[in-house]
Amino acid sequence: MSKVLQINHEKCTGCRLCELVCAVRHDGISNPVRSRIRVIKWEMEGVYIPMACQQCKDAPCLHGCPVSAITQNYQTGCVEVNPDICIGCRTCVSVCPFGGMSFNSIDQKVIKCDLCDGDPQCVRFCEVQALEFVEAADVSITKKREAAQRLYTADKQAAALKTKAA
Amino acid sequence: MALNRKIAYINLTTGEVKIKPIPLEVRKKFLGGRGLDAYLLYNNTKKGCDPLGPENALMISGGILTATCASATARTHVMAKSPLTGLLGSANMGGFFAPEMAWAGFHHLVITGKAEKPVYLFLHDGEIEIKDAANIWGKTTTDSQWAIQKELGDEEVKSCVIGPAGENLVAFASVMTGVKNAAGRTGMGAVMGSKNLKAVAARGTMDIKIAHPVEAFENNKKFIDQITSAKVNQTQGSLGTPFIWGATNSWGGLRTHNFQYNQLENADDIEPERIDEIATETIGPYHMAGCFGCQVHCRAQYRIPSGPYAGKYDEGPEYTSLGAFGAEIGCRSAETLLTGNHLVDQFGMDNLETGSLISWAMELYEKGIITDKQTDGLELTFGNDEAALEMVRRIAYRKGFVADALASGGIPATEKFGKESFDYLVQVKGMSNLHSDERATPALALNIATASRGSDHLRSRPAIDLYHLPEKVLRKIYGSPIPYDGPINSEQTSYEGKSWMVFWQENVYMGVDCLGICKYHTTFLGATLPNFEDWPKVIYYNTGLEFTPEELWTITERCNMLERLFNLREGLERNDPVKGDVLNHRYHDEPCRRGAPDVIGLYIDKDKFDTMVDELYQYKGLDKNGRPTKKTLKRLGLEDEPSHLV
Amino acid sequence: MAIKGGKQSTAESLRKTRTFGKIRCHNPSCMERIAPEPGSDHAKCPTCGMEYRLFWVNDNLPRIRGPVWDVNRELAERTFAEKQAAAAAKKTNKGGK
């Protein structure tokens, strides 16, 4: 089974450490332009959402690439760009619905999350666990559990109210 | 490379911009951030210059580690001669501005002159433009930032700005970035206002190459683990800085009703746990935010729960706001606290100075020194929430006799309120104190009396003195990197060995400010956090510069001495009641009446206090009058200042 | 080279001295370690009599929220009166000599 990068944006503190470690891990350089993950913010709402490649199963970037530089690694589930083939046309950037494909304006090439070969460093550094690396199958059941918990709590509160009224 | 970030000299009168490299020799002497700013201030201002005149120089900087692969290199430092104190002006803030400035290619700005009409600076990828700020002038701190982003068409632009208070030259106006990050103390916002400089905006995409990226990366992970595993930072990450309130208010270390009491009783509604509940109710369970690259996340988010500003979003409140809109003015309402915090953020003024001066005015009003006529009928009594908030609004716009006087700062206001008012002004060097009462803690009293920017807790406070650490542990911490075998004492009420602790902390805090990292990542509130011994690795891996802990110590001593030299040049005298290293007489004359049994009845013994100052001077290499000896200047390489190396 | 590897710094070596699950009395010369019942919202110092309200940051990290106000006030007033009386007595003694 392949693992996926799960983003729990409500936990994000907006510190952008993920951006820093991503750039340094890949390029040895601090520069958000080089980061595969970016935190998008609504400052006056206090909302911060990290955005990265979703590693789509039916990836628009892969289909859109005119030189077939993008492939899917079936073992890891990771969508990969071969820099030797890439011509830097940025078609993948424009077709990606999430902005997951980034363009590094300094080296003039596209960059994307490669899950750090199975050990994503953004996840390792994110102490609040806004970023997690989980089995793809677990994502949905975790969400179900959280939603069920909310229902359960609401139910209990309603029951307490009923008892009070009686 | 971090080391190829530039320094820019900007003259707003002529519009001339000069961009220069920072020589390695300068880095080795002053590192960057506050230390290098102190050097630049001393070199670029003349004795007696008008703080609000074009000749004052305003420095905005990041530290030597800003935006490198180190933890929490978020701090922006602002320095100039202070309009509040007439001495050293210096303030520091978190957020995201300094890193953006570094990616734009700059570490240091030296801004002089005065623009003809409102302008802002735009720093981007090695270039600096002076732009018209006519459409932004008059806006609040947050509106200004979003307006700049809109005008430049780029939401990634980060700015530090002034609000209405800075424009109106309120002597304690702050420079701000983000929603609440404020370089609040000593009126740096007024200096910007006096230059018609509304904002400095930055946007950068320039590489900062890490000297040894793999090592820097793994070392940073270790560093972060050390920091986030500390109890104090776990607590801080849950409650923010207000967490200090619980302990301080329990033992009686709070300054309330100006200085009449040392505890705010029955103030459960403004306890940090209550604020946390409000944040949870109005934002959600995850309401803590962090500055750049920091995992402590001590900045709370909230919406004002009720009252005329209900629903407004803001961040904080910091511990200082609990004092400003709680302890000092005797108010016990979360609504007042959160509203007051919001107002000072929006107007751009120092919450601490604002609250402190309002509480001073309240005592003067209750004692009849300020009259109803002077307040335009405003009942300026302790615990009057409405009056306090009205005063904040009046001060920002200098409305009415009392507010206008307060807006000039405490010392100038005494000239308007009469000589008697001076006795009640709890200040050092013209700057108000934090809402902390140091009568039971001689170490902390020495800290505020001798701090370089006036009464202040972030210059040399040995906060861990409150933890009653065993002597063995204290010796371990305070005996490195320079051996110390003098007296040391675990009791916070003791005078023994405290001067060394203050000296040591003064150097540590200068260290973090030169590096551009946050004080919650060093020996400040936690005893197990990194300092001199841990820094050489971080600096080496990120910049390639090699230092020993001892060398770093000497650099911090040098930078502190530069601040001292500046203050001496501008009139500091050891026993001067206005510009001296002294405390308000109330510290010596009025014993504590509240708090824990061991605190009751304590006051600062004048003779023992003077001995502590003597000792501190000795450690710093100053004579009895607080002036550096020739030998000290030679040892620190400061005998030829100003030396204009950059 | 100035950069030594391996050796622990003071900060790192002090890490193991961190204690969890306890609070310390805030009376400066008392500083008694108190281990409150997990989850309890009150604690009384067995040595000096100060009584505190508690808050739990997490299951292992209790902290003092504030004093119990009436206990605190009573202690403060009594101590202040005692100390004032003692100081006054000292003064009279001195005057007599």
Side-chain angles (χ1 to χ4, degrees):
Chain A
M1 271 308 288
S2 61
K3 284 175 130 184
V4 295
L5 187 72
Q6 188 188 335
I7 296 175
N8 316 302
H9 69 81
E10 68 283 4
K11 290 185 185 170
C12 176
T13 66
C15 81
R16 298 172 65 195
L17 182 60
C18 50
E19 294 183 15
L20 176 72
V21 297
C22 182
V24 176
R25 158 72 166 71
H26 288 93
D27 295 355
I29 289 167
S30 157
N31 188 350
V33 171
R34 295 178 179 276
S35 175
R36 280 82 175 147
I37 186 166
R38 294 300 292 271
V39 181
I40 307 301
K41 298 189 178 187
W42 283 262
E43 298 257 17
M44 286 308 274
E45 309 280 325
V47 174
Y48 318 129
I49 306 185
M51 297 295 288
C53 173
Q54 307 286 317
Q55 319 291 357
C56 304
K57 287 297 151 226
D58 190 8
C61 57
L62 186 151
H63 296 304
C65 182
V67 292
S68 300
I70 303 175
T71 51
Q72 187 136 32
N73 182 327
Y74 288 102
Q75 211 161 15
T76 62
C78 194
V79 176
E80 294 166 352
V81 184
N82 185 334
D84 297 333
I85 304 175
C86 172
I87 56 171
C89 70
R90 282 169 281 171
T91 305
C92 51
V93 178
S94 61
V95 298
C96 178
F98 295 96
M101 190 68 81
S102 312
F103 183 69
N104 168 350
S105 52
I106 297 163
D107 301 335
Q108 297 283 312
K109 62 180 188 189
V110 296
I111 50 170
K112 70 175 293 300
C113 173
D114 57 4
L115 298 174
C116 295
D117 305 325
D119 182 17
Q121 295 301 302
C122 52
V123 172
R124 182 174 166 229
F125 277 79
C126 186
E127 184 242 6
V128 295
Q129 296 176 325
L131 304 172
E132 286 182 291
F133 197 45
V134 295
E135 289 293 343
D138 292 348
V139 176
S140 156
I141 193 71
T142 311
K143 291 256 170 202
K144 284 189 175 74
R145 192 179 303 280
E146 280 167 9
Q149 178 75 44
R150 282 196 294 275
L151 278 176
Y152 175 57
T153 313
D155 244 19
K156 255 203 315 201
Q157 278 165 351
L161 281 175
K162 273 183 214 155
T163 329
K164 245 187 215 167
Chain B
M1 280 283 278
L3 297 178
N4 59 21
R5 303 294 106 166
K6 303 279 195 292
I7 180 169
Y9 289 85
I10 300 134
N11 184 329
L12 291 174
T13 308
T14 62
E16 192 188 10
V17 176
K18 262 192 270 180
I19 298 171
K20 292 184 187 176
I22 302 172
L24 207 56
E25 165 199 13
V26 171
R27 288 290 192 186
K28 285 181 178 168
K29 269 188 112 167
F30 310 106
L31 291 177
R34 167 149 76 104
L36 184 45
D37 277 353
Y39 177 76
L40 294 168
L41 179 69
Y42 195 84
N43 275 259
N44 289 288
T45 53
K46 293 219 164 64
K47 180 179 176 174
C49 78
D50 175 6
L52 296 178
E55 64 271 29
N56 195 5
L58 175 77
M59 264 66 65
I60 299 178
S61 71
I64 192 169
L65 290 179
T66 296
T68 64
C69 192
S71 183
T73 62
R75 307 298 295 189
T76 307
H77 185 258
V78 189
M79 190 178 262
K81 182 172 174 180
S82 165
L84 181 66
T85 66
L87 298 172
L88 181 83
S90 164
N92 194 291
M93 63 183 169
F96 295 84
F97 180 75
E100 199 66 44
M101 186 164 91
W103 289 316
F106 299 96
H107 263 181
H108 285 266
L109 306 179
V110 182
I111 304 164
T112 53
K114 180 185 176 175
E116 219 167 284
K117 49 186 183 26
V119 295
Y120 71 96
L121 297 177
F122 181 37
L123 284 50
H124 55 97
D125 290 355
E127 286 171 32
I128 296 179
E129 288 176 68
I130 302 174
K131 297 179 86 84
D132 182 15
N135 295 328
I136 305 160
W137 197 260
K139 285 194 189 326
T140 63
T141 55
T142 47
D143 284 350
S144 302
Q145 292 175 65
W146 320 144
I148 289 171
Q149 287 183 349
K150 206 168 167 200
E151 186 178 305
L152 295 172
D154 186 345
E155 291 192 25
E156 294 296 308
V157 170
K158 303 283 181 288
S159 332
C160 59
V161 301
I162 56 169
E167 296 172 8
N168 297 327
L169 307 183
V170 173
F172 41 92
S174 51
V175 179
M176 298 195 54
T177 185
V179 179
K180 77 117 216 164
N181 293 106
R185 310 232 70 193
T186 67
M188 295 298 92
V191 176
M192 267 177 81
S194 75
K195 298 190 174 308
N196 266 332
L197 180 62
K198 175 69 177 173
V200 179
R203 172 77 169 104
T205 60
M206 289 167 78
D207 284 345
I208 298 176
K209 200 169 175 319
I210 308 298
H212 303 279
V214 178
E215 292 84 351
F217 195 84
E218 286 309 316
N219 190 59
N220 192 24
K221 179 70 185 141
K222 238 179 82 184
F223 217 74
I224 290 173
D225 283 345
Q226 177 81 9
I227 286 155
T228 54
S229 61
K231 280 195 288 185
V232 64
N233 283 342
Q234 286 176 15
T235 312
Q236 188 137 257
S238 155
L239 299 173
T241 54
F243 88 94
I244 304 165
W245 178 275
T248 324
N249 200 28
S250 294
W251 63 260
L254 283 187
R255 180 165 67 92
T256 73
H257 293 71
N258 203 26
F259 200 78
Q260 302 181 63
Y261 299 99
N262 55 319
Q263 190 173 55
L264 192 70
E265 292 164 295
N266 303 305
D268 301 13
D269 197 38
I270 59 169
E271 281 173 356
E273 290 81 357
R274 173 67 194 132
I275 308 295
D276 189 55
E277 280 169 21
I278 293 172
T280 307
E281 282 158 21
T282 57
I283 301 288
Y286 305 105
H287 52 260
M288 299 307 284
C291 295
F292 177 71
C294 180
Q295 292 287 284
V296 175
H297 50 79
C298 67
R299 179 155 45 95
Q301 308 166 325
Y302 71 88
R303 285 181 191 279
I304 299 173
S306 52
Y309 295 86
K312 292 275 183 200
Y313 174 85
D314 211 305
E315 292 169 357
E318 296 296 329
Y319 179 55
T320 46
S321 280
L322 267 64
F325 303 107
E328 293 186 78
I329 56 172
C331 291
R332 294 170 167 81
S333 137
E335 183 191 305
T336 304
L337 162 63
L338 298 175
T339 305
N341 187 60
H342 178 62
L343 292 179
V344 290
D345 281 352
Q346 291 288 298
F347 297 145
M349 53 210 258
D350 183 18
N351 56 2
L352 206 158
E353 194 72 36
T354 305
S356 195
L357 289 181
I358 292 173
S359 79
W360 174 54
M362 283 176 164
E363 190 173 2
L364 297 181
Y365 179 84
E366 289 193 349
K367 292 204 154 61
I369 298 168
I370 291 176
T371 62
D372 267 318
K373 201 175 154 236
Q374 288 172 325
T375 65
D376 302 308
L378 193 68
E379 236 179 89
L380 216 47
T381 48
F382 287 107
N384 185 346
D385 301 54
E386 267 310 305
L389 295 177
E390 176 57 21
M391 279 308 289
V392 178
R393 287 183 287 256
R394 287 190 189 179
I395 290 171
Y397 291 95
R398 307 189 80 128
K399 271 193 230 149
F401 173 79
V402 174
D404 183 53
L406 294 179
S408 314
I411 300 290
T414 58
E415 283 163 27
K416 297 195 177 146
F417 297 156
K419 222 177 145 194
E420 200 188 344
S421 66
F422 181 76
D423 281 352
Y424 301 102
L425 181 65
V426 183
Q427 56 83 29
V428 176
K429 300 180 180 74
M431 186 161 89
S432 294
N433 191 16
L434 171 75
H435 59 285
S436 62
D437 186 325
E438 289 81 2
R439 283 175 294 184
T441 48
L444 276 51
L446 178 66
N447 140 240
I448 58 161
T450 57
S452 63
R453 65 173 172 181
S455 186
D456 189 70
H457 55 290
L458 292 172
R459 290 314 235 219
S460 56
R461 170 159 293 195
I464 56 171
D465 191 34
L466 302 173
Y467 301 165
H468 213 277
L469 298 169
E471 194 185 312
K472 212 173 90 188
V473 173
L474 286 176
R475 287 214 177 274
K476 223 176 160 183
I477 295 171
Y478 290 106
S480 166
I482 300 297
Y484 172 75
D485 54 7
I488 207 143
N489 196 312
S490 299
E491 297 272 340
Q492 71 174 53
T493 53
S494 159
Y495 292 76
E496 214 186 19
K498 305 300 178 187
S499 43
W500 177 266
M501 288 165 81
V502 170
F503 176 54
W504 190 91
Q505 297 282 172
E506 187 180 51
N507 290 339
V508 166
Y509 296 161
M510 178 53 92
V512 289
D513 288 345
C514 289
L515 300 182
I517 59 179
C518 178
K519 292 196 175 70
Y520 302 141
H521 291 228
T522 193
T523 323
F524 170 32
L525 297 173
T528 61
L529 297 175
N531 58 55
F532 290 107
E533 293 177 0
D534 311 79
W535 292 336
K537 269 191 215 165
V538 188
I539 300 173
Y540 175 71
Y541 294 148
N542 280 293
T543 69
L545 281 184
E546 286 183 43
F547 295 100
T548 62
E550 294 80 3
E551 284 166 347
L552 289 175
W553 170 275
T554 307
I555 291 171
T556 60
E557 264 193 287
R558 177 180 301 124
C559 298
N560 278 321
M561 188 57 70
L562 265 168
E563 291 192 341
R564 184 87 192 170
L565 284 175
F566 179 83
N567 278 341
L568 287 166
R569 194 185 79 184
E570 301 302 326
L572 184 147
E573 297 274 355
R574 175 172 176 170
N575 289 315
D576 187 306
V578 175
K579 287 189 168 185
D581 290 336
V582 289
L583 294 166
N584 181 288
H585 73 96
R586 287 176 131 176
Y587 279 86
H588 307 298
D589 299 340
E590 297 174 13
C592 294
R593 301 177 68 96
R594 294 271 191 274
D598 294 343
V599 169
I600 307 275
L602 291 181
Y603 56 92
I604 295 293
D605 183 292
K606 184 80 175 71
D607 292 338
K608 289 183 188 168
F609 175 78
D610 283 341
T611 310
M612 284 201 303
V613 176
D614 284 340
E615 289 167 359
L616 179 67
Y617 281 1
Q618 227 170 14
Y619 297 137
K620 285 170 72 86
L622 309 173
D623 64 17
K624 285 258 177 196
N625 298 318
R627 301 186 159 271
T629 61
K630 271 205 174 125
K631 205 176 128 197
T632 305
L633 291 180
K634 188 155 186 249
R635 181 173 69 83
L636 297 174
L638 292 174
E639 59 278 59
D640 299 322
E641 294 309 323
S643 57
H644 300 287
L645 294 173
V646 58
Chain C
M1 201 193 71
I3 314 304
K4 288 180 210 139
K7 193 178 159 260
Q8 276 198 332
S9 71
T10 302
E12 285 164 344
S13 70
L14 285 175
R15 194 168 165 174
K16 59 179 179 296
T17 64
R18 291 174 187 158
T19 51
F20 286 86
K22 288 179 188 164
I23 52 164
R24 297 190 80 164
C25 174
H26 281 321
N27 195 9
S29 300
C30 174
M31 284 279 171
E32 178 75 82
R33 274 194 202 281
I34 309 166
E37 282 290 313
S40 62
D41 59 0
H42 274 73
K44 188 180 167 84
C45 175
T47 312
C48 73
M50 285 279 282
E51 218 173 309
Y52 300 104
R53 289 170 291 129
L54 301 183
F55 171 80
W56 292 77
V57 177
N58 58 45
D59 291 347
N60 291 318
L61 194 47
R63 64 172 243 114
I64 288 176
R65 178 172 182 155
V68 175
W69 289 116
D70 44 352
V71 177
N72 169 75
R73 185 61 177 267
E74 200 239 299
L75 261 174
E77 278 174 357
R78 186 162 27 119
T79 318
F80 191 70
E82 279 169 15
K83 288 195 179 173
Q84 289 295 94
K90 212 172 152 191
K91 245 186 194 165
T92 354
N93 281 349
K94 261 189 194 163
K97 272 178 193 171

